[in-house]
Amino acid sequence: MALEFPNPSRSFDEVRSAIRFIGHDGMFEVPFFIEVAALARSSAGLRNRELSEEMYLSTFDLTRRSIEDVAREAYSHRRQTSYTLTAADFR
């Protein structure tokens, strides 16, 4: 089965400094994290600003499709229990 993202929920993980979201491969849940540094780097609106959880979540929502594409790519290369996407994954 292909990795899908049927649940639009996401949350800010302050400890990891990342946004958490879930993919599904059939009946299996696949947790993903995207570092906030990767979000800030990809969005000109977030650069050089005092950032908040709300801004990170909004940026995630606006770029969700490209983030999910990168998540699918990472998932297709290696199977892990969870995935952390970094700025390097978006080059």
Side-chain angles (χ1 to χ4, degrees), residues 36-48:
V36 294
L39 285 174
R41 187 172 188 194
S42 69
S43 174
L46 292 181
R47 293 184 194 135
N48 303 319

Side-chain angles (χ1 to χ4, degrees), residues 10-89:
R10 77 289 187 266
S11 60
F12 182 73
D13 186 324
E14 190 171 353
V15 173
R16 288 182 184 240
S17 193
I19 304 296
R20 182 181 196 274
F21 62 106
I22 300 293
H24 291 269
D25 185 356
M27 62 184 242
F28 298 103
E29 271 192 0
V30 184
F32 285 88
F33 298 89
I34 177 170
E35 294 178 346
V36 294
L39 285 174
R41 187 172 188 194
S42 69
S43 174
L46 292 181
R47 293 184 194 135
N48 303 319
R49 294 185 62 189
E50 191 69 28
L51 303 176
S52 68
E53 176 180 335
E54 182 179 324
M55 291 173 80
Y56 286 128
L57 291 172
S58 293
T59 300
F60 178 89
D61 292 341
L62 290 171
T63 57
R64 183 176 200 109
R65 286 187 189 233
S66 64
I67 292 169
E68 290 174 353
D69 289 343
V70 171
R72 282 186 191 94
E73 184 69 21
Y75 184 75
S76 73
H77 291 294
R78 60 195 186 282
R79 300 285 196 239
Q80 299 175 192
T81 56
S82 70
Y83 297 81
T84 299
L85 305 176
T86 67
D89 293 307

